[in-house]
Amino acid sequence: VLAVALLSLGGAAHAAGLCSNATLRGSYGFSAHGAVLGLLDASNTLHPFATPAILDDVAIVTFDGAGNFARTDFGNIGGIPKGGQTTFNPNQNGTYTLNSDCTGSMQIVYSTGVVLGLEMVAAEDGTLVKAIVATELVPTATPTVDGTTCPPSCTEGVQVSLEGKKVLVYGFR
């Protein structure tokens, strides 16, 4: 009876919200898939590129449990390694906030000046993170079909989802 009561309380406590930045600690293997669609103007109107660029990416993200992370990734955009990569790019970092209801946000900062804003959800006791790219600020971009150009720094319209799973080390999470 005591075990059932404790399990019940654990479920109730989780339902009430026990997530925090400390929920995410350690390394997570991430994959991302989606498309870069065009440029967004100040009114958030999408100006499409002639052809959307398909994006695929894999990464290791190491969360510190206190709102910061380091990230190493390798990705392709439109079938070409992004930014001319030939190996994994370890020069990324960022911050995150995980709310008590297990929703949150991340900001990834690349050494190239690209800044990604993600909205995320932590699940499965914090061992799974699902996210979408909400904003992508880039230093330059190609013109769109209607001739919209990227001033020094602009926002791209993207449709990208990510999934991260905590990396197991000797059978422990």
Side-chain angles (χ1 to χ4, degrees):
V1 173
L2 180 58
V4 170
L6 288 174
L7 287 173
S8 299
L9 286 175
H14 182 69
L18 287 181
C19 283
S20 70
N21 285 351
T23 303
L24 301 179
R25 180 183 300 277
S27 295
Y28 288 68
F30 272 82
S31 63
H33 178 72
V36 181
L37 304 172
L39 298 177
L40 295 174
D41 64 19
S43 65
N44 227 20
T45 300
L46 179 67
H47 299 270
F49 293 132
T51 305
I54 303 300
L55 170 106
D56 284 292
D57 191 90
V58 293
I60 292 288
V61 177
T62 303
F63 295 98
D64 70 358
N68 300 292
F69 64 85
R71 183 173 185 269
T72 298
D73 84 326
F74 188 88
N76 288 336
I77 297 178
I80 300 167
K82 65 181 185 179
Q85 282 182 265
T86 57
T87 61
F88 277 83
N89 175 8
N91 301 317
Q92 303 158 48
N93 59 55
T95 58
Y96 69 96
T97 301
L98 192 59
N99 304 311
S100 64
D101 67 355
C102 301
T103 64
S105 59
M106 294 174 64
Q107 184 179 57
I108 302 170
V109 180
Y110 289 82
S111 60
T112 60
V114 173
V115 178
L116 297 179
L118 284 71
E119 295 300 317
M120 67 176 174
V121 173
E124 297 184 17
D125 296 326
T127 62
L128 177 68
V129 176
K130 293 191 175 232
I132 62 167
V133 175
T135 60
E136 181 172 6
L137 184 64
V138 296
T140 62
T142 59
T144 64
V145 172
D146 65 5
T148 300
T149 59
C150 186
S153 192
C154 59
T155 303
E156 286 186 323
V158 298
Q159 186 74 38
V160 177
S161 62
L162 302 91
E163 183 171 299
K165 185 76 174 154
K166 188 151 188 176
V167 176
L168 289 174
V169 178
Y170 303 114
F172 297 100
R173 292 188 185 273

